[in-house]
């Protein structure tokens, strides 16, 4: 369910406030590490696929069937890795599906602090 315009504005405002208050914490919450790892894995799979093509062609030129078969298997394995890695990549702002979650107690205390800061700002602006 998409957010309404008002909710999107409020979310953007909260993000800006979080970056202004604690930029180090905000950058840690972005979670780009898994996306970078997944993207790197896909690139490696594409490179392996190209190596597989080279092996396949070399086997054909040298008339060594076993080299061509190995090249084909490398291509197949790398294609499977690339496709599965691409599908498992989390979208920006999305929680990874198989991610290990922190204890609820820690998350709750962080969220409580953020909510307290937000309430303080709203109270200060309202006065």
């Amino acid at each position: 369910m998409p957010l309404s315009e008002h909710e999107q504005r409020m979310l953007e405002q909260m993000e800006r406030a979080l970056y202004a208050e604690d930029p180090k914490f905000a950058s840690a919450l972005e979670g780009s590490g898994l996306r970078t790892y997944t993207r790197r894995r896909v690139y490696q799979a594409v490179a392996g696929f190209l190596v597989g093509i080279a092996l396949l062609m070399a086997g054909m030129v040298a008339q060594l069937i076993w080299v061509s078969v190995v090249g084909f298997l490398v291509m197949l394995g790398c294609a499977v890795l690339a496709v599965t890695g691409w599908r498992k990549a989390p979208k920006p702002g999305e929680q990874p599906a198989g991610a290990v979650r922190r204890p609820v107690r820690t998350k709750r205390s962080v969220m409580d602090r953020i909510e307290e800061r937000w309430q303080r700002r709203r109270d200060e602006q309202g006065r």
Side-chain angles (χ1 to χ4, degrees), residues 16-104:
R16 283 192 301 267
L18 179 62
Y19 274 103
E21 178 94 15
D22 196 355
K24 185 177 179 182
F25 175 69
S27 64
L29 286 179
E30 285 180 350
S32 62
L34 183 61
R35 288 186 60 220
T36 303
Y37 169 76
T38 306
R39 187 177 299 138
R40 187 180 314 130
R41 182 176 166 194
V42 169
Y43 290 152
Q44 289 172 346
V46 168
F49 187 84
L50 294 175
V51 169
I53 289 175
L55 284 173
L56 181 71
M57 297 305 253
M60 291 172 65
V61 169
Q63 294 183 349
L64 297 172
I65 295 176
W66 66 272
V67 174
S68 296
V69 170
V70 168
F72 177 76
L73 292 176
V74 168
M75 287 172 49
L76 183 65
C78 288
V80 168
L81 282 177
V83 170
T84 58
W86 194 261
R87 286 185 182 169
K88 290 181 183 179
K91 310 279 186 291
E94 180 179 291
Q95 179 71 20
V100 176
R101 297 180 185 223
R102 294 180 184 159
V104 175

Side-chain angles (χ1 to χ4, degrees), residues 30 109 121:
E30 285 180 350
S109 65
R121 282 204 185 110

